[in-house]
Amino acid sequence: MNRIRIDRQPEVSRRKPTLLSILSGKGGVGKTVIAYNLAERTSALGLSTLLIDVDVTCGNLHILANVGTDVGLFEYLQGEKTLAESVITVSPKLSLLSSRGDMFELDEALSMKLITKLRNEAIAYDVIILDHPSGRSKATPILAYGSDLNLLTVIPELTSISDAYGLFRHLMAHDASLDCQLLINRAQDMEEADFLKKRFIAMCEQFASHTITCAGVLLEDKAIRRSVAAQRAASQINSQSKVVQSLTRLVRRLFSLPTEPKVRRATFPEQRINETVATADIRE
Ligand SMILES: Nc1ncnc2c1ncn2[C@@H]1O[C@H](COP(=O)(O)OP(=O)(O)O)[C@@H](O)[C@H]1O
Ligand SMILES: [Mg+2]
């Protein structure tokens, strides 16, 4: 097997954005909705975010974001347009570099070119999120090695677990120093997520001799399906939904953002007075 190497920190003095890849062994596990909603969360928390659809044949981030596709990744890679000319503004801090079913192949050379271009030209962004195609495309290892963090998405289904494990081994065989963490999606509850997490970690240690940690858990949530149907972010459908809260926590942890101050119990004088009265009432 050819070892593909890419310098994760090429000689770019102005290096800034954190490059995050969302990948999976099996399709339909939620990569695209996670990439979109994660990007919405990073941007909502003040990080200037570039979301890129590297699933060039089946790209559908533009559908989720409900934006046009006059320009995108193809024009950017061809050098026809600059990055600023190629992106579509989704919201003030969120830009999308889309693939609208572009019939070109993102091969090794183009993937390498993309990483190098981004490292040099996307310095205005704090975060870049790549939504990968499923499985082992030619682009997968190059883009994964070019990323600072890879989130391997898995759902509690045997085939998803098996394919995720296959992809993890494949990536580790190329470069064991790769930062790849598990992201559990569509778990029914934390018990199911915990069971999957422990099994997956044990499997990787026993058979692949590699340690993997778990970045986070997203539960099955109606807000996701409703948001896809409405072509909106889950936070716009239900900002209090479990999935939005989990994504917010994940972003805060990944980017070391301060946690939201806890809503303190009201300690207004009126309440103190009421409490005193209540206690007095009981004593009586
Ligand atoms: N946490 C979740 N809760 C409920 N439905 C989900 C969740 N994650 C994904 N889905 C559903 O799975 C579908 C497929 O997700 P998608 O992001 O297109 O997968 P992938 O990009 O991995 O092929 C979504 O349209 C959505 O309906
Ligand atoms: Mg997808």
Side-chain angles (χ1 to χ4, degrees):
M1 189 189 318
N2 286 335
R3 282 177 71 84
I4 304 161
R5 284 212 160 268
I6 184 161
D7 185 359
R8 255 172 254 159
Q9 302 204 3
E11 287 169 20
V12 182
S13 53
R14 298 163 302 163
R15 183 180 192 281
K16 183 171 77 157
T18 300
L19 228 147
L20 237 163
S21 270
I22 313 293
L23 19 83
S24 76
K26 190 175 155 61
V29 299
K31 288 181 301 302
T32 301
V33 289
I34 291 171
Y36 178 54
N37 284 288
L38 200 60
E40 187 278 332
R41 290 288 78 204
T42 50
S43 57
L45 290 169
L47 300 171
S48 173
T49 305
L50 173 61
L51 177 60
I52 307 182
D53 204 332
V54 290
D55 190 354
V56 290
T57 47
C58 298
N60 41 34
L61 276 172
H62 60 283
I63 299 173
L64 295 192
N66 196 15
V67 293
T69 53
D70 296 340
V71 284
L73 184 59
F74 181 74
E75 288 76 15
Y76 179 55
L77 282 173
Q78 289 298 307
E80 288 172 20
K81 305 256 184 216
T82 64
L83 182 58
E85 290 166 347
S86 306
V87 299
I88 297 156
T89 302
V90 179
S91 64
K93 282 198 175 273
L94 176 57
S95 303
L96 172 66
L97 191 53
S98 71
S99 293
R100 58 218 145 186
D102 281 320
M103 293 313 285
F104 74 97
E105 190 189 15
L106 193 62
D107 59 11
E108 285 97 336
L110 274 180
S111 305
M112 196 89 79
K113 184 176 176 181
L114 176 62
I115 294 290
T116 310
K117 271 172 83 65
L118 290 173
R119 288 296 187 198
N120 281 294
E121 298 165 13
I123 50 162
Y125 293 97
D126 300 309
V127 190
I128 300 175
I129 298 176
L130 304 182
D131 177 25
H132 280 240
S134 307
R136 306 177 202 182
S137 74
K138 286 182 183 166
T140 310
I142 309 279
L143 299 176
Y145 303 134
S147 299
D148 300 295
L149 174 62
N150 293 278
L151 294 176
L152 180 60
T153 311
V154 63
I155 59 171
E157 271 179 21
L158 219 51
T159 46
S160 165
I161 297 166
S162 161
D163 291 352
Y165 173 68
L167 179 59
F168 180 66
R169 279 193 72 160
H170 175 69
L171 293 173
M172 286 296 144
H174 281 90
D175 185 349
S177 70
L178 188 81
D179 194 350
C180 184
Q181 298 181 21
L182 202 60
L183 181 59
I184 296 175
N185 188 28
R186 303 196 78 163
Q188 293 304 321
D189 50 39
M190 288 311 285
E191 206 179 321
E192 186 180 46
D194 210 44
F195 183 70
L196 166 55
K197 180 171 93 179
K198 285 186 181 140
R199 296 257 328 248
F200 198 90
I201 291 174
M203 195 163 71
C204 291
E205 279 171 3
Q206 190 177 352
F207 301 112
S209 307
H210 289 297
T211 306
I212 188 165
T213 54
C214 183
V217 171
L218 304 173
L219 297 180
E220 175 78 24
D221 198 320
K222 284 194 190 90
I224 290 286
R225 284 192 63 185
R226 284 171 54 210
S227 68
V228 172
Q231 293 180 281
R232 310 188 82 171
S235 68
Q236 294 170 301
I237 298 296
N238 181 358
S239 62
Q240 298 306 309
S241 61
K242 288 209 167 98
V243 76
V244 172
Q245 288 180 12
S246 301
L247 284 167
T248 306
R249 274 198 302 274
L250 177 63
V251 168
R252 287 190 190 282
R253 217 173 40 244
L254 291 181
F255 297 95
S256 306
L257 301 176
T259 48
E260 215 169 9
K262 289 227 164 68
V263 182
R264 291 179 67 254
R265 281 191 57 205
T267 51
F268 303 118
E270 301 85 32
Q271 197 191 354
R272 291 230 170 100
I273 292 162
N274 286 341
E275 273 172 12
T276 316
V277 170
T279 316
D281 287 343
I282 292 163
R283 281 207 199 101
E284 278 175 41

